[in-house]
Amino acid sequence: MATGTLYIISAPSGAGKTSLVKQLRRDTEHLAVSVSHTTRSPRPGEQNGLDYFFVSIDQFKSMIAENAFLEHAQVFDNFYGTAQQTVEANLAQGQDVILEIDWQGAQQVKTMLPQCVSIFILPPSIAVLNQRLQNRGQDNAEVIARRMRDAVTEMRHYAEFDYLIVNDDFNLALNQLKSIIFANRLQQKRQQQALKPLLDDLLN
């Protein structure tokens, strides 16, 4: 069985990453999205174990001490982390895995798993990004201003990623994401394992 590929998808808050990844997962077989651990409180409608694993700060720090995370970072006033064991188990089973993490986490993962594929999603403009954050209706003006400042910091790291996608037209951005994943699945090294019976038959 061919080993799956780990994809890192990063974006500033409000660029539409979460919506794109949700639709990508619905449309694509053998694709898992890693569920992160976080110390922040659940938002309305979020479910523990589905959207995030919601844990206390003490629990999170214990996991850090146990080297349980593939990556972890502090974002705003909360901690986020990706459990290493779950990701590696999915990859070993031939599943492609998506990590939705920021640039700090991406740097950590690339150090540990340099074969991963990284994708950065950009908004079409600063004005559109600001409008999207306001339209969500989740944050007050002070929080939105902080998210906008942090978005610029996040976007300065675009050059550290393998692919760049601008989420102006949702369907176009979604198709571009799919193209990256499907093209990677057709690489010779991965196809050689998946097509071994056919290749043996054709060449013998």
Side-chain angles (χ1 to χ4, degrees):
M1 179 186 295
T3 302
T5 298
L6 179 64
Y7 294 92
I8 296 170
I9 300 184
S10 299
S13 181
K17 166 174 59 68
T18 300
S19 297
L20 283 167
V21 170
K22 281 183 178 179
Q23 191 60 49
L24 178 67
R25 188 180 183 187
R26 292 190 194 104
D27 295 349
T28 311
E29 294 183 341
H30 309 298
L31 182 65
V33 177
S34 178
V35 179
S36 298
H37 289 69
T38 183
T39 59
R40 76 160 172 79
S41 300
R43 292 173 181 159
E46 288 184 331
Q47 299 179 45
N48 185 52
L50 182 62
D51 298 287
Y52 286 95
F53 292 109
F54 297 99
V55 297
S56 67
I57 292 177
D58 287 342
Q59 287 175 301
F60 196 95
K61 289 183 176 179
S62 293
M63 293 182 72
I64 293 175
E66 294 166 1
N67 294 318
F69 289 124
L70 185 62
E71 60 80 28
H72 62 87
Q74 183 173 358
V75 182
F76 302 117
D77 300 322
N78 301 296
F79 293 93
Y80 295 82
T82 303
Q84 182 172 351
Q85 184 176 3
T86 304
V87 170
E88 292 182 343
N90 281 329
L91 292 174
Q93 293 169 6
Q95 286 265 70
D96 289 331
V97 178
I98 289 178
L99 298 185
E100 295 182 67
I101 53 179
D102 72 348
W103 65 269
Q104 298 174 77
Q107 288 181 342
Q108 294 176 53
V109 173
K110 286 181 179 182
T111 299
M112 297 182 67
L113 299 171
Q115 70 273 25
C116 68
V117 176
S118 58
I119 305 166
F120 196 90
I121 297 172
L122 293 162
S125 69
I126 285 291
V128 168
L129 184 66
N130 186 283
Q131 190 61 52
R132 286 177 181 173
L133 288 173
Q134 293 188 43
N135 289 345
R136 293 198 309 195
Q138 296 176 347
D139 304 309
N140 59 36
E142 182 181 350
V143 172
I144 289 175
R146 183 172 66 172
R147 289 189 184 278
M148 290 297 297
R149 290 193 300 270
D150 288 345
V152 174
T153 299
E154 184 92 17
M155 290 187 289
R156 287 196 176 110
H157 292 268
Y158 77 89
E160 299 169 15
F161 291 76
D162 300 316
Y163 296 92
L164 294 177
I165 291 175
V166 177
N167 184 19
D168 187 6
D169 180 289
F170 181 86
N171 288 326
L172 175 60
L174 178 63
N175 285 331
Q176 289 171 338
L177 271 176
K178 290 178 182 178
S179 296
I180 293 168
I181 290 173
F182 294 148
N184 188 69
R185 289 179 176 181
L186 296 175
Q187 286 187 358
Q188 181 269 130
K189 185 178 294 185
R190 188 160 178 178
Q191 285 288 76
Q192 186 177 15
Q193 297 179 59
L195 300 178
K196 188 176 186 308
L198 173 62
L199 290 169
D200 288 345
D201 182 61
L202 291 171
L203 301 177
N204 290 328

